[in-house]
């Protein structure tokens, strides 16, 4: 099987300027495009003002419907060699239709992050319960997400921690997984020399999309507990909060007299990051790898975050700043980084090492391509090794399929 055409089924239209997920999708689109794939992007959602212009990228786009057999006709007519599902929900909604309509197509799932991990952590945080892998395994969402991974020929996993959960806790076969963090260009010496120096940078920054619950919680924690401690030690410093879709109650936190400035969407994240001296990301729950922390490293900006914030991002390499889990410790570390030029430059160097070691697009592109080619060489044998996946596609396990058919018939009436 030689793959020449790819259908991407997007949960949303990619927004690279507002979300890490949008950046991730753009990286994947360019990976396949550079290798000569003819790409079609389809979604049930509508584009927004921040959506990527797919036409500029040379990508054909299509609107598709949920619970409608018109998708079957569409995918049969397109007859793609491969499908990429954007998050487990699109696999759940369309995977069975793909398996029936174009059974020979390679089915890939980009998990983005393990949504079940993020949601279970949020539940634990709100209830004051300590997160454990056992609690994650018991959650119904985990069962749905893992089922989608099993039904796919290959799943793209973004963090080392999530790879560890899947292979060591669930004992999933690594033949069906590939660890694929963000695919980034090397930070060259010329690029590093272009960064503004310590003395030319001012203030703290915090960036996060307002539709993402961990970001909203982080901003609220900053406002209530962390920023007052920093501001007391640095009375002239400011915290600039950026993010698309920030809700009204976050916008109302804007208080220049306290140095807490809510600025909304950052059209140029690179410029914002390079002007800031320290990036703050006090995330108390979440999953995957954090785009805001990657962006900071790409701009030579040290970050103070939590254990969950840095999780699965830097291996054994020292962090590009500090990792703390209490308001007091985060504030102390942030103040220290802001004032200590030597420590600041050490943190910056750590970030360069992390990007160039773990996010090198050349190595990661080869890793993904090798996985795809290995499956291509003998797709039938690959699927034969995935008995649970074939079991989950059997009609006795296809509740989402029959629910979709029922909804379609109901809609006709």
């Amino acid at each position: 099987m030689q793959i020449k055409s790819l259908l991407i089924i997007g949960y949303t239209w990619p927004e690279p300027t507002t979300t890490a997920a949008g950046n991730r999708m753009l990286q994947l689109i360019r990976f396949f495009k550079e290798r000569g794939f003819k790409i079609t992007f389809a979604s049930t959602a509508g584009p927004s003002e921040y959506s990527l212009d797919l036409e500029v990228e040379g990508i054909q786009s299509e609107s598709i419907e949920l619970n409608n057999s018109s998708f079957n006709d569409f995918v049969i007519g397109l007859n793609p060699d491969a499908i990429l599902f954007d998050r487990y929900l699109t696999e759940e909604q369309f995977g069975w239709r793909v398996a029936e309509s174009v059974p020979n197509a390679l089915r890939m799932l980009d998990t983005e992050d393990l949504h079940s991990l993020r949601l279970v952590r949020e539940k634990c945080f709100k209830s004051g319960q300590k997160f454990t892998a056992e609690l994650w395994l018991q959650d119904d969402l985990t069962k749905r997400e893992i089922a989608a991974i099993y039904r796919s020929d290959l799943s793209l996993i973004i963090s080392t921690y999530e790879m560890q959960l899947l292979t060591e806790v669930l004992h999933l076969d690594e033949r069906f997984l590939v660890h694929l963090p963000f695919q980034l260009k090397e930070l060259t010496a010329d690029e590093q020399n272009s960064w503004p120096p310590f003395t030319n940078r001012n203030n703290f920054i915090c960036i996060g999309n307002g539709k993402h619950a961990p970001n909203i919680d982080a901003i609220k924690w900053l406002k209530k507990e962390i920023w007052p401690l920093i501001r007391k030690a640095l009375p002239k410093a400011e915290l600039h909060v950026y993010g698309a879709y920030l809700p009204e109650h976050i916008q109302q936190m804007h208080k220049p007299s306290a140095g807490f400035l809510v600025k909304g969407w950052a059209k140029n994240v690179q410029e914002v990051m390079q002007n800031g001296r320290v990036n703050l990301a006090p995330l108390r729950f979440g999953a995957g790898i954090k785009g805001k922390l990657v962006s900071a490293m790409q701009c030579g900006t040290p970050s103070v975050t939590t254990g969950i914030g840095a999780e699965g991002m830097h291996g054994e390499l020292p962090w590009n700043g500090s990792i703390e889990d209490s308001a007091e410790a985060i504030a102390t570390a942030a103040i220290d980084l802001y004032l200590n030029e030597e420590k600041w430059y050490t943190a910056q160097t750590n970030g360069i090492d992390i990007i160039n070691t773990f996010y090198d697009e050349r190595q990661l592109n080869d890793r993904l391509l090798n996985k795809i080619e290995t499956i291509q060489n003998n797709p039938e044998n690959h699927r034969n090794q995935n008995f649970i996946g074939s079991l989950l596609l059997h009609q006795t396990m296809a509740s989402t399929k029959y629910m979709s058919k029922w909804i379609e018939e109901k809609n006709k009436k």
Side-chain angles (χ1 to χ4, degrees), residues 345-368:
Y345 276 112
T346 298
Q348 184 183 81
T349 300
N350 292 344
I352 295 166
D353 292 341
I354 291 168
I355 293 294
N356 290 346
T357 301
F358 294 108
Y359 301 90
D360 181 350
E361 68 173 359
R362 294 164 299 183
Q363 294 181 25
L364 295 173
N365 289 350
D366 287 345
R367 182 185 298 173
L368 178 56

Side-chain angles (χ1 to χ4, degrees), residues 252-308:
Q252 289 177 359
M253 291 180 180
H254 181 76
K255 192 174 181 181
S257 63
F260 197 95
L261 307 179
V262 181
K263 299 206 162 190
W265 177 56
K267 186 174 183 179
N268 189 328
V269 172
Q270 182 179 16
E271 182 180 324
V272 166
M273 277 290 187
Q274 289 188 0
N275 287 332
R277 188 178 287 182
V278 176
N279 178 44
L280 299 177
L283 299 162
R284 293 191 280 191
F285 53 89
I289 57 177
K290 317 307 182 294
K292 59 184 72 62
L293 296 173
V294 169
S295 294
M297 288 186 266
Q298 288 180 293
C299 295
T301 307
S303 293
V304 180
T305 189
T306 59
I308 282 178

Side-chain angles (χ1 to χ4, degrees), residues 82-143:
I83 315 284
L84 178 66
F85 300 105
D86 172 25
R87 290 165 257 203
Y88 82 95
L89 283 164
T90 58
E91 191 286 330
E92 200 172 61
Q93 293 159 347
F94 294 101
W96 65 271
R97 293 184 183 274
V98 167
E100 289 184 358
S101 301
V102 283
N104 293 327
L106 177 71
R107 299 189 298 273
M108 297 180 287
L109 169 62
D110 181 31
T111 57
E112 294 286 359
D113 61 30
L114 289 180
H115 289 50
S116 55
L117 176 62
R118 170 159 43 86
L119 268 294
V120 172
R121 277 180 166 160
E122 183 177 358
K123 288 180 184 178
C124 288
F125 170 73
K126 289 181 176 178
S127 65
Q129 193 172 14
K130 183 180 179 182
F131 170 82
T132 64
E134 287 71 26
L135 287 172
W136 172 65
L137 288 171
Q138 292 166 15
D139 197 86
D140 286 346
L141 187 60
T142 304
K143 298 176 178 67

Side-chain angles (χ1 to χ4, degrees), residues 111-321:
T111 57
E112 294 286 359
D113 61 30
L114 289 180
H115 289 50
S116 55
L117 176 62
R118 170 159 43 86
L119 268 294
V120 172
R121 277 180 166 160
E122 183 177 358
K123 288 180 184 178
C124 288
F125 170 73
K126 289 181 176 178
S127 65
Q129 193 172 14
K130 183 180 179 182
F131 170 82
T132 64
E134 287 71 26
L135 287 172
W136 172 65
L137 288 171
Q138 292 166 15
D139 197 86
D140 286 346
L141 187 60
T142 304
K143 298 176 178 67
R144 289 171 57 190
E145 191 164 29
I146 300 306
I149 290 173
Y150 269 115
R151 287 190 297 262
S152 303
D153 296 315
L154 182 65
S155 292
L156 283 49
I157 310 301
I158 207 163
S159 88
T160 54
Y161 178 78
E162 293 178 4
M163 279 292 289
Q164 183 181 353
L165 266 184
L166 296 174
T167 57
E168 296 181 13
V169 176
L170 279 173
H171 306 290
L172 265 71
D173 192 325
E174 287 197 51
R175 283 177 293 185
F176 308 105
L177 308 172
V178 58
H179 174 225
L180 194 79
F182 294 156
Q183 301 142 280
L184 306 175
K185 296 191 182 301
E186 178 188 5
L187 293 175
T188 63
D190 286 345
E191 187 170 358
Q192 295 165 37
N193 291 334
S194 72
W195 292 338
F198 174 89
T199 51
N200 287 10
R201 298 182 184 227
N202 292 291
N203 301 318
F204 296 84
I205 54 174
C206 174
I207 296 183
N209 187 295
K211 291 183 177 180
H212 197 55
N215 293 335
I216 296 301
D217 176 72
I219 296 170
K220 289 163 68 175
W221 194 25
L222 275 167
K223 182 70 166 66
K224 184 178 180 181
E225 297 184 43
I226 300 169
W227 182 245
L229 297 173
I230 297 173
R231 179 76 170 182
K232 185 177 180 181
L234 302 169
K236 293 184 178 180
E238 295 177 347
L239 172 60
H240 297 179
V241 178
Y242 294 90
Y245 307 113
L246 293 178
E248 183 64 27
H249 71 276
I250 296 295
Q251 295 179 43
Q252 289 177 359
M253 291 180 180
H254 181 76
K255 192 174 181 181
S257 63
F260 197 95
L261 307 179
V262 181
K263 299 206 162 190
W265 177 56
K267 186 174 183 179
N268 189 328
V269 172
Q270 182 179 16
E271 182 180 324
V272 166
M273 277 290 187
Q274 289 188 0
N275 287 332
R277 188 178 287 182
V278 176
N279 178 44
L280 299 177
L283 299 162
R284 293 191 280 191
F285 53 89
I289 57 177
K290 317 307 182 294
K292 59 184 72 62
L293 296 173
V294 169
S295 294
M297 288 186 266
Q298 288 180 293
C299 295
T301 307
S303 293
V304 180
T305 189
T306 59
I308 282 178
E311 176 186 86
M313 291 189 63
H314 62 111
E316 299 299 319
L317 292 180
W319 183 245
N320 125 62

